[in-house]
Amino acid sequence: MRILRERSPVVGDDPFQLLKGRVHEAQGRGRVAFALLQAARSTGPIFWIVRTHDRDRPMPCALPDGVVERLHFVEARNETDLLWTVEECLRAAPVALVIAAPEKTISLTAGRRLQLAAEAGGTTGLMLIQEGRGSNAAETRWSCNPLPGPQDSTRHRWCNNKNKKGTLGTHDVSWNGATAAVHLVTQAGERHQPEKPPG
Amino acid sequence: MPLADARAICPVLSTRPADPVGEGRALEALRRWASRYGPHAAKDGPDGLIVDVSGVAHLFGGETDLLEDISARLERAGLASNSAIAETRGAAWALARRGGGVIPEGGLLASLGPMPVNALRIGPEVAEGLTRLGLHRIVDLTSVPRAPLARRFGADILRRLDQALGAQAEPVAAEPDPPQFGVRMTLPEPIGLTADVMGILDRLLVRLCDKLASAQMGARAVRLELRRVDRSAAVVEVGLARAMRDPVRISALFRKGVDEVDAGFGIDGMRLGASVTEPLAPEQLKDVQIGNGKARQEDELADLISRIGNRLGFEAVQRFLPANSRIPERGFLTVPAAYAAPEPFPSRRRPRRPITIFPPEPLTGVSGNPPSRFSWRRMGFTTLCAHGPERITPEWWFDDPAWRSGVRDYWRVETGEGPRLWLFRTPQAASGFGDWYVQGVFL
């Protein structure tokens, strides 16, 4: 068995690349957008698991290109079934990405089991958690919120709040929702030092 | 006689429409039953059965006793029947329709000779033509020259004559039984451990999958019946995400169900059957070393869907298919992933659609049109800019309760708080101005 440290960390300087074989978490009102970006970037079957009574559903005709064909949408009747399904999907090698929207707090035991399953299957998991209901076993935790932007833009602020093997950071992005590429937007801020004289 | 005349003569007449399909099915069931009298049993026209009983009659105590046995059993089942045994198929056909009985060996011409010519399985117009020539009985046909007869009435009449009199062979062409995908095993001693049951199940599965492979079929649902010593039975059923006949993969799905079965005083018989089957063409052999990556991936994915489907139900694992409708909720179909192949969605970026959709939720505290200030899900929002309206009219050919309020004007509203929402109002609704709903969230 490989130790996690030996596994190559994030390849390149792409800040939104999720580590394979681990379970990540996303919270905030823009978490579905973050999940869709990860879905657009993955290659292979995607499983999206929700509770049956959850009213928010993805709209197939607005998803990024090539995602709907790979998407399997699972409705779980209760939280146990949901976690079981997530674990089964993570353990299956051909699955590329597992997105799940649990309602309750993921306990440390459950979070750890999911990590082990993801490690066994080499799949990436992304839990769309409610604010503050994550587990300590998560590899990274993202806080995603939409931002008001200029006319007709789709700005998002994606904060990496927790990262077990990397740096934290806040990124403002503009994503058109169709392709796997995002535009990083420079954050507007106050300048604390005088501008250098030209030349 | 027309039905109206019959009713006029007898007002209490009870009538039922003919059901040829149902009758055919009943005759097929009788055919299966009739195979107890001989290895080859076939349907003979819409109202008859023919069984090859050569060398069988002594098992029933002789030919006469055999016929009695048949009529007694059918009578007990409520069926009136006539049966006959003869050396040839044609002779048996003729005699069964004229009283029945047995024609002893060598007595074909003696028994058939006095019968009218329409006992020969020929058309009524041919029989009428023969009668007009003065050939009333079968024995008359044997004495006239054959060539003119064939020229006048066709070769068919001579063929039927020869078949009835044994000059030409006519085998009983029994159609093959449809393959039955079931295997069973009876155990000398009762067993109760899960591992033992799984061991037997694996053996049964190998046999079942061999049967399926020889018929080029794949199982879609497999049913295992465990018979206990006290004659009660437990049933374990698994569904499969796609047709397959791989014993190892099916066996893995049974583990959970078999684990939950109560063995009682022990299990001494097992029956395994494929309850739903689909055609499945032979697969190309996969080289384990090189690895047929794509096919293996598909297998593993199907196994995963089977596992989830057997716990949550197969309708819980869904796939989205495109549908042709302007109504946002009906712009896609949700179907079980196990029963539908993926279809590409048409790539259409305009008009914009939200990434998340939910049943309409009313806004509160709305001011302005389109709203400049509102609250939704206990949060206040202010509008930065609004795009719209996009008017969507209900599809009058569907009666959708959610769309009874009439046309909707949809707006894409960018809020100062961040979320971009899909709002709509129904202009002609009775309450008028304040009727705003939110139905989706944009990217």
Side-chain angles (χ1 to χ4, degrees):
Chain A
M1 201 177 110
R2 292 175 299 166
I3 358 176
L4 287 175
R5 213 176 301 123
E6 288 171 1
R7 194 174 298 171
S8 64
V10 179
V11 186
D13 52 1
D14 180 8
F16 306 118
Q17 181 77 45
L18 298 182
L19 194 60
K20 248 180 110 66
R22 304 296 286 165
V23 177
H24 308 260
E25 288 177 356
Q27 59 183 25
R29 270 190 308 227
R31 55 184 190 263
V32 174
F34 186 73
L36 286 182
L37 175 72
Q38 298 301 336
R41 287 182 165 195
S42 66
T43 52
I46 304 163
F47 276 77
W48 190 316
I49 303 139
V50 298
R51 296 284 301 273
T52 310
H53 60 78
D54 201 352
R55 290 153 63 91
D56 293 8
R57 296 297 165 92
M59 177 116 166
C61 28
L63 299 189
D65 297 335
V67 167
V68 190
E69 294 82 355
R70 296 183 280 132
L71 183 66
H72 298 81
F73 194 75
V74 184
E75 290 181 355
R77 280 184 302 272
N78 55 45
E79 199 77 10
T80 320
D81 277 350
L82 183 131
L83 287 176
W84 176 86
T85 313
V86 174
E87 193 181 2
E88 284 289 323
C89 294
L90 285 172
R91 220 173 263 286
V95 179
L97 178 68
V98 182
I99 302 169
E103 264 176 13
K104 299 188 184 131
T105 312
I106 306 173
S107 68
L108 189 60
T109 316
R112 189 70 199 126
R113 275 190 73 145
L114 295 185
Q115 292 291 10
L116 289 174
E119 215 171 296
T123 51
T124 314
L126 182 64
M127 301 285 129
L128 305 180
I129 54 166
Q130 316 223 339
E131 207 78 36
R133 293 194 179 168
S135 89
N136 273 334
E139 178 74 23
T140 56
R141 185 173 302 127
W142 297 80
S143 176
C144 311
N145 278 299
L147 284 186
Q151 181 88 16
D152 227 26
S153 71
T154 48
R155 288 278 169 88
H156 286 268
R157 174 163 291 165
W158 289 339
C159 298
N160 192 344
N161 284 341
K162 167 187 173 158
N163 195 347
K164 284 193 173 178
K165 282 190 287 294
T167 51
L168 308 181
T170 300
H171 309 276
D172 282 2
V173 298
S174 181
W175 181 39
N176 68 357
T179 59
V182 291
H183 295 291
L184 276 174
V185 183
T186 329
Q187 284 181 49
E190 285 179 32
R191 196 162 54 208
H192 295 294
Q193 69 279 1
E195 198 182 355
K196 278 181 193 167
Chain B
M1 181 188 291
L3 179 62
D5 291 357
R7 281 217 174 113
I9 296 167
C10 177
V12 294
L13 189 68
S14 114
T15 56
R16 278 179 202 83
D19 178 14
V21 179
E23 284 168 15
R25 224 176 289 137
L27 195 64
E28 174 62 29
L30 269 185
R31 187 194 69 78
R32 281 192 63 188
W33 167 80
S35 65
R36 74 193 293 277
Y37 293 106
H40 301 293
K43 285 195 273 190
D44 188 23
D47 59 346
L49 294 173
I50 178 92
V51 186
D52 187 354
V53 292
S54 324
V56 174
H58 69 278
L59 298 173
F60 294 88
E63 288 173 343
T64 327
D65 291 346
L66 193 151
L67 288 188
E68 274 169 17
D69 184 61
I70 291 180
S71 62
R73 282 173 189 273
L74 285 176
E75 202 177 325
R76 214 179 309 149
L79 296 168
S81 67
N82 266 324
S83 46
I85 293 180
E87 265 177 89
T88 64
R89 209 177 142 172
W93 189 91
L95 191 60
R97 278 155 184 80
R98 274 162 192 79
V102 179
I103 300 182
E105 224 168 307
L108 272 181
L109 191 57
S111 308
L112 284 185
M115 288 194 189
V117 284
N118 59 9
L120 274 181
R121 292 184 283 172
I122 51 179
E125 61 280 357
V126 178
E128 201 179 317
L130 288 170
T131 318
R132 209 174 295 141
L133 293 185
L135 302 168
H136 294 283
R137 296 171 306 158
I138 292 176
V139 69
D140 300 339
L141 291 178
T142 55
S143 53
V144 297
R146 292 167 63 92
L149 205 58
R151 205 178 318 135
R152 184 145 185 180
F153 295 105
D156 198 43
I157 175 159
L158 290 181
R159 183 168 64 89
R160 288 301 188 196
L161 184 67
D162 288 347
Q163 281 175 345
L165 297 179
Q168 192 177 337
E170 188 187 7
V172 175
E175 61 258 49
D177 276 319
Q180 204 229 339
F181 302 110
V183 288
R184 67 178 168 188
M185 192 181 275
T186 313
L187 307 173
E189 289 283 325
I191 57 170
L193 296 179
T194 309
D196 296 347
V197 175
M198 291 303 288
I200 307 271
L201 174 67
D202 287 347
R203 286 202 216 167
L204 288 176
L205 269 173
V206 170
R207 278 165 55 196
L208 180 72
C209 292
D210 282 350
K211 267 192 178 182
L212 287 166
S214 61
Q216 299 203 0
M217 300 289 271
R220 224 27 226 269
V222 186
R223 180 190 156 95
L224 173 70
E225 204 179 298
L226 302 158
R227 264 183 298 124
R228 303 197 190 96
V229 179
D230 55 357
R231 301 217 163 187
S232 60
V235 175
V236 183
E237 266 202 281
V238 298
L240 303 171
R242 61 170 211 207
M244 62 168 87
R245 46 166 184 257
D246 185 350
V248 181
R249 290 166 58 198
I250 300 177
S251 164
L253 294 171
F254 267 110
R255 179 160 288 280
K256 181 171 168 284
V258 167
D259 221 11
E260 286 168 358
V261 165
D262 176 21
F265 293 108
I267 292 161
D268 69 346
M270 287 167 70
R271 222 184 136 83
L272 184 74
S275 41
V276 184
T277 53
E278 270 179 15
L280 178 66
E283 296 157 34
Q284 196 166 5
L285 280 177
K286 287 171 206 156
D287 193 328
V288 183
Q289 291 300 320
I290 301 168
N292 194 342
K294 196 167 178 332
R296 205 177 52 223
Q297 268 204 357
E298 278 175 10
D299 283 355
E300 284 182 28
L301 198 64
D303 285 353
L304 174 64
I305 294 177
S306 304
R307 276 202 301 277
I308 299 176
N310 279 314
R311 173 152 174 168
L312 305 183
F314 275 93
E315 64 282 354
V317 190
Q318 298 161 348
R319 198 194 289 286
F320 297 118
L321 296 184
N324 195 7
S325 171
R326 296 300 243 177
I327 307 286
E329 305 93 302
R330 281 206 292 268
F332 56 92
L333 297 173
T334 314
V335 293
Y339 298 101
E343 269 179 53
F345 267 75
S347 146
R348 196 164 42 116
R349 288 285 143 204
R350 289 285 188 274
R352 284 194 189 207
R353 285 288 176 257
I355 53 169
T356 309
I357 192 169
F358 37 83
E361 295 172 10
L363 297 182
T364 50
V366 182
S367 65
N369 184 23
S372 57
R373 227 170 252 291
F374 56 91
S375 9
W376 168 60
R377 291 193 183 174
R378 290 181 289 167
M379 260 200 69
F381 292 95
T382 51
T383 304
L384 278 187
C385 63
H387 306 268
E390 180 195 347
R391 177 160 287 191
I392 299 181
T393 51
E395 290 171 337
W396 52 262
W397 51 95
F398 289 120
D399 186 23
D400 188 348
W403 281 79
R404 285 215 182 116
S405 50
V407 300
R408 294 177 179 181
D409 285 347
Y410 278 92
W411 294 75
R412 176 176 182 262
V413 170
E414 296 183 15
T415 60
E417 284 72 18
R420 291 164 276 271
L421 302 175
W422 209 32
L423 309 186
F424 74 84
R425 69 179 287 241
T426 46
Q428 73 275 50
S431 52
F433 195 63
D435 256 14
W436 283 90
Y437 295 88
V438 58
Q439 209 191 351
V441 180
F442 284 92
L443 183 71

